[in-house]
Amino acid sequence: MLRRPKPSDSEADLLREQEQFLISGAPSTASVVRRPDKRRGEGGGGGGGGGGHKDGGSQKDVVTIEDLPDELPTLTPAPPKKSRFKANRVRFEDEDAEERLDRHDTHVSAVLSRIIERDTSSAPISVPAFMSSAFPKVLHRSDDKVLLSSAGGKRSIFSRQIAAQRLKEGKTPLHCVSESSMDTDQSHATFDRLSGVSCPRLVSGQGLAAADSSAETMRIHQENQVKLQAMSQAEILEEQKKLLSQLDPRLVDFVRSRKAQNILPSTSPSERSQDNRGSEECLPENVVTDSPSTAGLCQEPLEVEMEKEEEELPPPRPMTEEELPVKPQKDWVHMDKLEPEKLEWTRDLPAARRKGTKKAMQARFDFAGTLIPPTEDLPTHLGLHHHGEEPELAGYSLQELFLLSRSQIIQQRSLALATLANILTKARAGEYAAVLRGSVTSTLLDAGLLFLLRFALDDSVEGVMAAAVHTLRTLLVSAEDEECMDSTFSWFRGLASFPLLPSAQEEEDEEDEGLEEIMKLTAKEKEERKTDHDVARQDVVKGLLKMKLLPRLRYILEVLRPSPRVVQDVLEVLTRIARHSSSSATQILDCPRLMEMVMSEFLPTSWTLPSSPLPQSVYGLPLASAMKLLRVLATSGRHACARLLNSLGARERLSRLLSLEPSELLLEQTEALRITTEVYRLWAVAASYGQASNLYIDLYPVLVKALQSVHRALTPSDPLLPLQLQRVLALLSLLTQVTHTAGCHQELQAGMVSSQGSECPPPPPVSWGHVTGLQASLLGQLKGFVKDLDNPVQIESSLALIPAYLVYLEAYYHQLSRQNYFKPVETLQQLELLMSDVVLPLLSHNAVQSLIKNLKSCSVVCNVQSTRPGPEVTPSLPGLASSGWRDRPGLVGPGSPFPLLTGLGLLLDTLTGIHKGLSCKFSGLLLSEPVMDYLLCCSQATPPLSHTSAWLLRHEHHLLYLLLRLAHRLVPSEPEVVKHTSLYHQVALVLLPWLLPGSEYLAHELLSTIIFSKNFISEGHSGGPEALELAELKLHEETHHRTSPPLHTVGALLREACVQLPSIRGCFLTHLAHLETSVLVSQDAHLGRNPWINSQLLPELSGPTLPSDWPFLPLVSLYERMGVSDGGGLQVEELPQGALQAVTHCLQWLLLLEVWREDALKVVLPVAKLARLSCVFLCSSDLFLERPVQKLTWGLLRLLTRPSRLDLLDLNIPPPGLASFQDLYSALLAQYEAVSFGDRLFGCWVLLPLQRKYSTTMRLAVFGEHVGMLRSLGVTLEQLAIPMERFTSPPEDSLPLLRLYFRSMVTGILKLCWCPVLYVVALSHLNSFIFSQDAAAQEVEAARRSMLRKIYYLTDEVLRNHLLLFRLPQKHSELGFDTYQQLPPIRAKRLESVVGTQDSNNGD
């Protein structure tokens, strides 16, 4: 044994002992360990062999968690930490600090100072030998494959080549510890497979003190195997289960992965699968393996629950080398190892989903926006397959398109945006309505399409920007909507349009709750506080404006100067934004340099002829879309129009573009016709404000020349005939507006003289003398077009132009009658000639008669239910939804009689107003079968209101109003028309709440002339009240006397109401006085008072002009004034002057409508009628006691409580304007307790909601909170107009209410003499409850028995007999109900079983 060195040993002794140590080969007791630098993130690890001393082993950083306590240790101060490095450092007391520093000095100067040059004098020097190959030799992977494979291992390619070269040269390879351990593992695996003896796969033997660590490892492993063989299978599984429960799952996964790595690559797949199965069989049941079979079983139940008809296919097995389309070569770098997960994309696509599946599929589209069925198998060369979640399905989902639009590849971004544009186009056309669930447009907007497009507009690539602009245009603009609105421009009031604002959604702000009005935020402040997302979610256009869209579009036009299509898209987007609202139009005008850019580049005053029909750039050329943008901006208001004409130079553009014929404008012919049409339309809008009138004087020869060439331009064979027709119609619209403006010149001149110009607008430059010369020319052209109706080739063009001529003639004669130099005699002769030469031949023509037959089929009002599934309508982006309007019958479509009949009705209304004798000549039109069928259908229709239908309904309302005006003129003189007055009156009643904002003048005229006219209520003067009295006389004789007015008195009330019709009309007009301003604005627009018109943009579409329950208006307004005080309580103050008369007139009108015009009030829910009439009792303490009010309210109550009406009355529906009917009923009960004085009418009103079919809450309120009212609710069964069966059937099932019934009767609160009706009701329900033997809950049965026992032992014999012997309610009985003489046997047995049991219990 070697001895330890001693201090007395010399250097020779130490060298000799070192030589002996090296010869012995004994392991060193110390090893050099490189400590990891933990600051640099190096992992721990040591090198060198293992020593047998504990000190050496203790230096490794080993963390053991043995016997970890279950509870946390106490928080005691820890011992001070000691540095392991400081403890191992040897120090001597007499050691010099300077020497220690020098010894540890690592500076470069210290290192260089100790360099000693090696002696090379005796070293041999050899010259390298010449070789034929390169030096150094280039190593190829194809060389020495056997040697290369034998030097395998987890080493780099270069390292393995060097090892193979050394083996070839007979040298020992340089192995590292990892290689030897790997070889050991491989040898162990080989030994396992050949000898059947297993070896440890986790322990390598490193760190053992023995020289032969592998032998020691095998010895330990064999001992473990012996122990395992001595254990039973159950004991092994139990120990394994215990072990797995204690180990970290990640550690278990590591062990399994280590086992898989140790399997030799040469092992066959079958052997590996057997090994896997063997290992999995040993696992406990709660351990889930990752095998495909287990995964399939886990997924199968879920799939079966979702869809039982479709079986889940097993997951595909991993790809093998034989299945690869291209076999990898060994020479390929990094291709020697097969990675199936990275090669899955080369596998053939799985089969598409079978047909007949019930599972909802994700919508997929091709690049054209067409929806691809999930079962369709498309070829891959179409480019629709990709590596998404479902690679077997062709097409792109919306989510994948959004992802593709953010790609770094330009073409992919452009393709995604173009595809989204195609999808939006088809969605707006309604092509997905029948096959997709939900709205595509709404889905895209909710997913953030606006932000995606806004970001794409900022893209530096012009192609992506162009695609984004086109997609934005597709989202906002509907070409068919624009064409449809343009086609109605020449109609009556066709210049006006509704702003395309989303429906107003009132949102209660939590921040404003409880604050005073002065402290609440204004609407503008709330809007500014909202984020872009919140604004865009409610209003797309407003959201885009908040995202600074306008400056970006200006930058695109001004700096980027894109292609013609992008310019067109930008101009159309601006047009759609201008249609949004007047504020949006103002923002366009205020955007810096935007409109100046449009005017200078796309509406220049001079240009050159483009070299080709499709120029590469449209800069410097006038565009029709730019002129249309100006026209829509001018529609927003007279101030915007004045800015365009005066500040931006639109006036010069009008003169420049109209001074020449379209063929002389140096433009392509189609574009020339379109831009001149838009010029006429812009001028017509300006003339509708009384502006640009001096241009009429300057360009009068041009206009006359254009009129003279009308017939020449309308050649049937001309392919541009539709554009020529639009140009002529725009010209006629211009002349109509100029005529209206000139007709106001005289009135303005007189007003300016009388008021010295303080409040009157200045008169326009054009006067009546400037327009009188055109009438003869236009009348001659109209006669020519009427004659052309006989020509089949020109009939379509003639029918398209005649309505515009009729509208012009109406404007001319309407303004003519207002002039001071109006000559009635000459005018009457002209009108008679006009009737005989034009109007009557036109009306009797077969073409016109065939058009009138289409009246009902083209109506929007009459075809609400039969409308086909329309295009998508997004609430935040309203549109007209006119897709396909040219291909189907409709109000604007081909074959529609509405423009012709509207123009004819306008002309007839004006002419018959001037010449009264002409009215009788048109009774045939009003009495014709198509018109009568149309009016009858309208009287029964209930069209919905939305942006989609509003712009069409407005034109149909004009026609209905004009037909009623014609009937109003014919009723006094035509007996045949008088026969149908009830129909005309019914149409007027249903039309009144249909009228939209902007038609307030029409509503005022209907109220003033037809609604309250005695001539249209024929029942009032043709024995209607008397007939009603006779019809109800027999019913009254069969009934007993009543305190309330009998039904036959309704006839007298109706007779009085007919006498009071003028007063009733005055009452309603007074209560509608708040609409006076709107009526005057609407009057100016309908009568052509152009200088007073401020905007052609109609008021916001927030609802009809009048509410559907307008007949209740005086009653509701009085309640709002008097019914509720500031504190929420009811007021009982004195009514204002005239309130009683107003309520009386309102009730008279309601009674008249309920009896003779019941259909007019069908739009008002029965619960709403009851709620509105309840205001009679709530608005005052004594109003309902007034005799007129009592009689009328009794009559209305009798009508509302008819059996057919009671069946329709549903109090569970909240009345409009109220949260629930229960809240109103609580107020009624409180009012009854306070001021009713036992009034029978009020009592019947309170009893009505207590019917059995209504909510128990109201009955609980009567018998709970307001039980005191039972003392004064003295309505008898005869006075009650409602059958008692509605109160008593079915039996009550509310246990709390039954207990209240029982308590009120036993305590004497509810008595027969005080409250007969509710006494019988409570008696009926209690009797049914106590004798019921139906199966019920234990609590209910206990309550039954308890009540029955208490009733049996009551001391009040009368009440006891009533409760026990009650049989049925009987109205004519003295008590109000029938009783048994004695209990039926079944009830007696029930009583005996309950009471007898109690007695026996007491006896015991």
PDB file of all heavy atoms in Angstrom, residues 401 983 1320:
ATOM      1  N   LEU A 401     -58.837  33.505 -44.166  1.00  0.00           N
ATOM      2  CA  LEU A 401     -58.648  34.672 -45.020  1.00  0.00           C
ATOM      3  C   LEU A 401     -58.125  35.859 -44.210  1.00  0.00           C
ATOM      4  O   LEU A 401     -57.291  36.636 -44.702  1.00  0.00           O
ATOM      5  CB  LEU A 401     -59.963  35.032 -45.708  1.00  0.00           C
ATOM      6  CG  LEU A 401     -60.415  34.093 -46.820  1.00  0.00           C
ATOM      7  CD1 LEU A 401     -61.802  34.458 -47.306  1.00  0.00           C
ATOM      8  CD2 LEU A 401     -59.429  34.119 -47.991  1.00  0.00           C
ATOM      9  N   LEU A 983    -114.452  52.241 -46.865  1.00  0.00           N
ATOM     10  CA  LEU A 983    -113.154  51.713 -47.268  1.00  0.00           C
ATOM     11  C   LEU A 983    -112.116  52.825 -47.347  1.00  0.00           C
ATOM     12  O   LEU A 983    -110.976  52.665 -46.853  1.00  0.00           O
ATOM     13  CB  LEU A 983    -113.276  51.013 -48.623  1.00  0.00           C
ATOM     14  CG  LEU A 983    -111.964  50.515 -49.245  1.00  0.00           C
ATOM     15  CD1 LEU A 983    -111.285  49.493 -48.355  1.00  0.00           C
ATOM     16  CD2 LEU A 983    -112.218  49.940 -50.637  1.00  0.00           C
ATOM     17  N   VAL A1320    -117.080  35.367  -3.761  1.00  0.00           N
ATOM     18  CA  VAL A1320    -117.424  34.151  -4.491  1.00  0.00           C
ATOM     19  C   VAL A1320    -116.163  33.505  -5.067  1.00  0.00           C
ATOM     20  O   VAL A1320    -116.016  32.280  -5.067  1.00  0.00           O
ATOM     21  CB  VAL A1320    -118.447  34.466  -5.599  1.00  0.00           C
ATOM     22  CG1 VAL A1320    -118.716  33.229  -6.454  1.00  0.00           C
ATOM     23  CG2 VAL A1320    -119.737  34.988  -4.998  1.00  0.00           C
TER      24      VAL A1320
END
